[in-house]
Amino acid sequence: MSEAIEIAVSALEGATSTGCVTVREMGLQGMLTVRADLSSKVVKAAVKALTQVAIPKPRRVSISKGAGVAWMSPDELLILLPYTKAVEASVALDKALAGTHALVENVSDARAVFTVSGPAARDVLAKLSPVDLSDDNFAKGEIRRSRLAQIPAAFWMSGDASARHEEMTIVVFRSVAKYAFDVLSNASSGGPVKFYS
């Protein structure tokens, strides 16, 4: 009897679409959801030890050297790290927070990640989300939890806005990955509205 080999694949296996921006499914991404008192010294120390990144201020995301921490709500973080390290990191963080009122959950296989890149990235996202994406209200390092057409999404500016070749990273539930890809691709194919670009 042969043993089945489990091979992880991303939701859309790197699907790409090009219009006025490039929409790309980014493949496997390690993600941990942490629910805890974010002002706790124990929580701050554990997150920093795991990621080498401090807990960011509200509505911010901090990413450095392949790991990151996104503020999701007053008591919730999304930790980003390589997919292959997610299980081990979840166990380590759970152990570091033992005795603290906290929840750590590996959500890597429950999410899909996309990038939208190009000078019209803000315009494309503005077609789908009720968020002020102007330079003054949405800069690199800021994160929003909102809607992407009919589905919940979190997104942040991940590229260099000063180069006017912007890149947004978008996280959605894996179960709606195809829908997210299709609405982003459709918004891209219609061209920019030239409000932000």
Side-chain angles (χ1 to χ4, degrees):
M1 177 195 233
S2 64
E3 292 184 26
I5 298 174
E6 191 173 315
I7 299 173
V9 295
S10 66
L12 301 178
E13 300 187 63
T16 301
S17 170
T18 303
C20 69
V21 297
T22 299
V23 178
R24 178 173 289 118
E25 193 255 356
M26 294 307 296
L28 297 171
Q29 171 68 59
M31 288 181 257
L32 307 179
T33 290
V34 179
R35 299 299 296 255
D37 176 358
L38 304 185
S39 66
S40 161
K41 289 180 182 179
V42 172
V43 173
K44 288 180 180 180
V47 169
K48 178 83 180 225
L50 179 70
T51 64
Q52 304 306 305
V53 177
I55 292 176
K57 292 182 178 180
R59 297 194 333 173
R60 304 287 298 173
V61 59
S62 298
I63 298 174
S64 177
K65 299 177 185 172
V69 182
W71 182 94
M72 301 300 276
S73 76
D75 69 343
E76 181 181 358
L77 299 173
L78 181 65
I79 293 179
L80 306 161
L81 62 167
Y83 181 84
T84 56
K85 297 183 178 185
V87 172
E88 180 183 321
S90 176
V91 172
L93 189 56
D94 208 32
K95 186 180 280 189
L97 296 176
T100 304
H101 185 69
L103 170 76
V104 177
E105 190 64 38
N106 180 357
V107 296
S108 307
D109 293 326
R111 304 287 188 269
V113 181
F114 296 90
T115 58
V116 173
S117 58
R122 287 179 197 262
D123 282 341
V124 167
L125 211 52
K127 290 179 182 182
L128 302 169
S129 184
V131 172
D132 181 353
L133 296 170
S134 65
D135 291 341
D136 294 338
N137 291 304
F138 191 71
K140 187 165 184 177
E142 293 190 44
I143 186 169
R144 297 294 184 268
R145 289 180 81 173
S146 185
R147 302 199 68 73
L148 188 69
Q150 299 298 315
I151 59 172
F155 51 86
W156 62 90
M157 177 88 58
S158 49
D160 184 5
S162 63
R164 297 313 294 172
H165 183 81
E166 297 173 336
E167 179 183 88
M168 309 279 191
T169 297
I170 302 163
V171 177
V172 300
F173 291 112
R174 183 183 177 112
S175 60
V176 293
K178 179 70 166 94
Y179 174 84
F181 180 77
D182 288 347
V183 296
L184 287 165
S185 298
N186 186 54
S188 172
S189 70
V193 292
K194 298 186 179 176
F195 186 74
Y196 295 116
S197 57

